[in-house]
Amino acid sequence: MKNFRTFDLAVVFYHQSRKLKLGGAPRDQLHRAALSIPLNLCEGRGKPTRKDQVRFFHIAMGSVRECQGLLQIVGEQSSECARTLDRLAASLYRLIERAI
């Protein structure tokens, strides 16, 4: 997507999360949640009304929070990946606030 900084950050986070050395259920759950973020941002951006857009942006924020929890559980809360996720959360928060 062009000119959509929050989406760009979500893609960067997704690729960083794929490089983390995790195994089993935490790895699978992180990958699914990390992929959900940019996909919901794209779907929301394509909706015709602000109300529909915000709904998908909130879903993306839920996935951000899920990823934050997972990174804390696996001890990666201080990683570059976690710092990118924090920047993404702030950008998404601003996006939601402007859309409301």
Side-chain angles (χ1 to χ4, degrees):
M1 298 202 81
K2 267 181 134 175
N3 300 319
F4 193 5
R5 182 180 25 222
T6 306
F7 172 79
D8 294 340
L9 271 171
V11 171
V12 168
F13 170 71
Y14 173 76
H15 288 293
Q16 287 177 343
S17 72
R18 300 285 298 177
K19 293 177 184 175
L20 292 176
K21 304 286 190 232
L22 304 175
R27 180 195 65 223
D28 296 340
Q29 189 64 33
L30 181 63
H31 293 171
R32 282 193 305 274
L35 182 58
S36 172
I37 299 165
L39 294 179
N40 277 294
L41 289 169
C42 283
E43 190 165 356
R45 183 55 73 120
K47 294 297 178 181
T49 68
R50 287 273 194 216
K51 182 178 178 182
D52 284 339
Q53 288 177 1
V54 170
R55 184 170 144 267
F56 281 92
F57 296 163
H58 277 290
I59 293 168
M61 183 61 87
S63 295
V64 165
R65 297 299 182 219
E66 183 177 354
C67 290
Q68 288 174 324
L70 275 161
L71 291 178
Q72 187 169 357
I73 288 167
V74 300
E76 292 285 344
Q77 67 270 20
S78 298
S79 66
E80 178 63 31
C81 186
R83 287 187 291 277
T84 300
L85 184 57
D86 288 343
R87 289 192 309 274
L88 171 58
S91 181
L92 182 51
Y93 177 82
R94 288 188 302 272
L95 180 68
I96 292 168
E97 286 297 305
R98 283 192 308 263
I100 292 179

